[in-house]
Amino acid sequence: MFNKRVLNKIDKPLLIISFICLVFGLMMVGSASSLKAYMKYQDSYYFFKRQLIFICIGLFCAGIIISVPLKRWKNLVYLSVVGIIGLLVYVLVNDNVSNGVKGWLFIGSFGIQPSEFAKTVLILYFAFIYSYLIKIRNISNTMKVLPFLVPIIFILLVYKQPDFGTMMVIMGITIVIFLIVPYDSKTKLVMTSSAVISVLILVVVMLLTGKGLSDSQKSRFNYKDPCTRYRQKTGYQVCNGYIAINTGGLLGSGYGNSKQKFLYLPEAHTDFIFAIIIEEMGLVSGILMLAAYFIIIWRIIRIGRRSYNLFGTIICYGVASLISLHILINLGGVLGVIPLTGVPLPFYTYGGSFMINLLICLGLVQRVAVENKMFEQKHLVR
């Protein structure tokens, strides 16, 4: 798909660790989902095979991205922004609810979440728009603020689904990119103050009126001491997650030997895959997972810092923030530190839209690494 010249310039450590995480994640999805897959589809490998298909599709997309110069995606990105907004509106109007969220577009037996791809489209949109705006002298305050209308539209449409976890990720990506855009401190202070005041007003209005959150979302804020509410919906899943983690100990009960996946954890292969991993593979594996995450994020940031232009920096920092936020929100929910939101755990959670989008993001980072080395070699020759 791409020639040897491109292959030699990709970031090898990032590639190797990402591949290890993909393989381990696929194995754990197979284990965590085996009973549910057999009971529902009479095929213990049903979710395993589908996850493998998602990974292959994602790798194919990543391969295309790595082989194509980033500047060629410019027009497609602006069309994608319009397309994502259209799809987010469509899923709301279509009213096709899955797990309490109106965010799914079904093609046969495959469900697609446009909100997952909105994250990557947003990162690319910011990269293109700011690499252009930063070249303009004496840019007006209106032009500085205008690009943030797109994430606001994304956030509002995702909020209406309602998908609070994805909304937080989109907000987090927007904040990180805002912080790295080289605006003067006065402009950043004014924009930050306006945003904070707007959010505070919105929160006060929601608290006074009691509107803005569904009953299901409100119940998730009752997340502390889950085992005191074991027989209630607000405590059952998280408490069983605790049991799985406690049972695993240092080295785990062995691959495939989880007890909590026997329908004690109804979302064993999705939201609570981390708890199953600790139960079967032990705390040591959990620590290694976190170490791998740290290296992946560090390599991505390193590529971004070495980028010769703002375009590449925004892509890398945007992807690093996407992965970091998913890790923090998922593990925070599983460990009972924050409310559960259904945000996937990178490389490990079962799901097509997120897995494909994650590999597309990694493909973009690798393309930035390739173009960085091409730029360095070109200037060294000169």
Side-chain angles (χ1 to χ4, degrees):
M1 186 176 294
F2 39 80
N3 57 41
K4 189 175 180 180
R5 180 168 167 265
V6 172
L7 187 63
N8 289 335
K9 291 179 174 61
I10 64 175
D11 189 271
K12 304 299 191 302
L14 177 59
L15 177 67
I16 293 168
I17 296 173
S18 298
F19 184 75
I20 292 171
C21 290
L22 282 173
V23 173
F24 184 57
L26 181 63
M27 289 172 55
M28 293 313 305
V29 165
S31 174
S33 66
S34 57
L35 179 67
K36 186 172 183 178
Y38 182 78
M39 292 184 67
K40 192 171 183 179
Y41 301 103
Q42 290 72 54
D43 180 3
S44 298
Y45 298 99
Y46 177 81
F47 293 108
F48 174 88
K49 289 185 287 190
R50 284 172 67 94
Q51 187 77 338
L52 180 59
I53 292 171
F54 299 148
I55 290 173
C56 289
I57 294 171
L59 289 173
F60 177 78
C61 294
I64 293 174
I65 289 168
I66 293 171
S67 63
V68 177
L70 288 169
K71 62 182 180 181
R72 293 189 183 178
W73 300 103
K74 184 175 181 179
N75 293 331
L76 186 59
V77 167
Y78 295 132
L79 288 174
S80 297
V81 169
V82 177
I84 287 293
I85 292 173
L87 287 174
L88 290 175
V89 171
Y90 175 78
V91 294
L92 288 176
V93 175
N94 194 42
D95 207 27
N96 198 338
V97 180
S98 179
N99 294 325
V101 176
K102 295 188 290 185
W104 293 84
L105 179 66
F106 286 95
I107 302 173
S109 60
F110 287 92
I112 300 172
Q113 284 184 286
S115 58
E116 289 294 345
F117 298 99
K119 302 166 189 174
T120 303
V121 169
L122 182 63
I123 292 169
L124 284 171
Y125 163 77
F126 274 133
F128 278 113
I129 198 75
Y130 279 111
S131 62
Y132 166 73
L133 290 179
I134 208 67
K135 297 175 184 177
I136 302 175
R137 293 184 178 181
N138 301 321
I139 185 173
S140 66
N141 290 329
T142 303
M143 286 298 294
K144 290 179 180 179
V145 175
L146 203 58
F148 289 94
L149 286 178
V150 170
I152 290 172
I153 294 171
F154 283 2
I155 288 166
L156 291 175
L157 290 173
V158 172
Y159 170 76
K160 290 295 292 181
Q161 291 182 1
D163 189 346
F164 193 66
T166 299
M167 185 190 77
M168 288 197 298
V169 173
I170 293 174
M171 287 178 65
I173 291 169
T174 303
I175 291 168
V176 168
I177 292 175
F178 167 71
L179 292 174
I180 66 172
V181 171
Y183 282 159
D184 60 273
S185 56
K186 183 180 178 181
T187 300
K188 285 194 173 185
L189 180 62
V190 172
M191 291 176 69
T192 303
S193 302
S194 301
V196 170
I197 292 170
S198 299
V199 171
L200 289 174
I201 292 172
L202 180 63
V203 170
V204 170
V205 170
M206 288 169 60
L207 290 173
L208 291 176
T209 61
K211 297 179 180 180
L213 292 175
S214 65
D215 292 336
S216 176
Q217 286 176 313
K218 290 175 184 176
S219 69
R220 292 186 180 187
F221 284 92
N222 186 20
Y223 61 91
K224 293 185 177 180
D225 301 318
C227 292
T228 61
R229 304 183 306 281
Y230 184 78
R231 296 184 181 277
Q232 301 175 30
K233 188 177 180 181
T234 58
Y236 178 78
Q237 288 194 80
V238 178
C239 187
N240 276 310
Y242 286 176
I243 294 170
I245 292 170
N246 184 63
T247 302
L250 197 63
L251 299 175
S253 58
Y255 181 74
N257 294 329
S258 167
K259 293 180 180 178
Q260 292 302 310
K261 70 182 180 183
F262 284 82
L263 305 185
Y264 291 104
L265 277 173
E267 304 297 334
H269 60 301
T270 54
D271 296 356
F272 283 85
I273 188 74
F274 182 75
I276 300 299
I277 291 172
I278 301 299
E279 184 184 8
E280 292 191 354
M281 310 304 289
L283 182 61
V284 171
S285 294
I287 293 171
L288 290 174
M289 280 176 60
L290 295 178
Y293 277 141
F294 175 82
I295 295 170
I296 287 170
I297 293 167
W298 171 68
R299 295 300 301 186
I300 294 172
I301 292 174
R302 184 171 178 268
I303 293 168
R305 291 182 65 182
R306 290 189 170 189
S307 178
Y308 64 94
N309 57 20
L310 181 64
F311 183 86
T313 301
I314 288 177
I315 287 177
C316 291
Y317 277 73
V319 172
S321 63
L322 185 155
I323 294 173
S324 300
L325 288 164
H326 271 268
I327 296 167
L328 291 172
I329 295 172
N330 179 278
L331 295 186
V334 170
L335 299 175
V337 178
I338 61 174
L340 282 171
T341 58
V343 168
L345 185 65
F347 298 102
Y348 300 100
T349 295
Y350 169 82
S353 297
F354 179 72
M355 179 58 73
I356 293 169
N357 187 63
L358 174 65
L359 293 174
I360 287 173
C361 285
L362 291 173
L364 288 168
V365 171
Q366 290 287 11
R367 182 63 206 185
V368 173
V370 169
E371 294 191 5
N372 285 348
K373 290 181 180 178
M374 286 180 174
F375 181 82
E376 289 171 6
Q377 289 180 356
K378 182 179 178 181
H379 283 72
L380 280 174
V381 171
R382 288 183 177 179

